[in-house]
Amino acid sequence: MSDGKLVGIVLVSHSARVAESVAELARGLAGGGAAVPVAPAGGTEGGGLGTSAELIAAAAASVDRGAGVAVLTDLGSAVLTVKALLAEGDELPAGTRLVDAPFVEGAVAAVVTASTGADLAAVEAAATEAYGYRKV
């Protein structure tokens, strides 16, 4: 468990609307837990489809509360952009982690888990476990 600081969550999509909608869904399904800092980072600065290192870095800074930041992505180039930012070393807050998880289900699991005050490792584990969710 953390020391009262919550893990921040960044949702990186090629679409601003998708990132914002998934953030809204995850927050809504977290229910009565603590208000987790969640930031969408979707699309480009001009509002188009794509990914933006600047938007991702700003989103990560906005949710950093000192307990780590979990970044979930939708598609390939979003992953590459986050990996490049992590490799640079000073663009993202210390304790930022790219989480290998399905975008929607992983985001919900991450936010719900973070709302309990869980640490970054537990948030990452919950999001990653979402790969196992069966629908039929």
Side-chain angles (χ1 to χ4, degrees):
M1 286 297 196
S2 71
D3 55 3
K5 298 176 184 171
L6 297 175
V7 171
I9 313 287
V10 175
L11 303 175
V12 182
S13 172
H14 283 66
S15 163
R17 289 174 63 190
V18 169
E20 291 160 6
S21 295
V22 173
E24 179 184 2
L25 176 67
R27 281 190 210 101
L29 294 177
V36 175
V38 180
T44 63
E45 288 91 342
L49 295 176
T51 56
S52 162
E54 292 78 17
L55 291 177
I56 295 166
S62 78
V63 300
D64 180 24
R65 304 291 184 272
V69 176
V71 180
L72 285 83
T73 62
D74 63 357
L75 302 169
S77 65
V79 174
L80 295 175
T81 303
V82 173
K83 283 184 175 181
L85 287 167
L86 288 167
E88 289 174 25
D90 61 351
E91 296 296 316
L92 297 174
T96 298
R97 191 175 298 175
L98 175 60
V99 176
D100 182 15
F103 192 61
V104 175
E105 295 91 335
V108 170
V111 173
V112 168
T113 303
S115 74
T116 69
D119 64 14
L120 182 58
V123 170
E124 179 178 28
T128 301
E129 287 172 12
Y131 273 126
Y133 294 173
R134 304 297 306 175
K135 297 184 176 132
V136 292

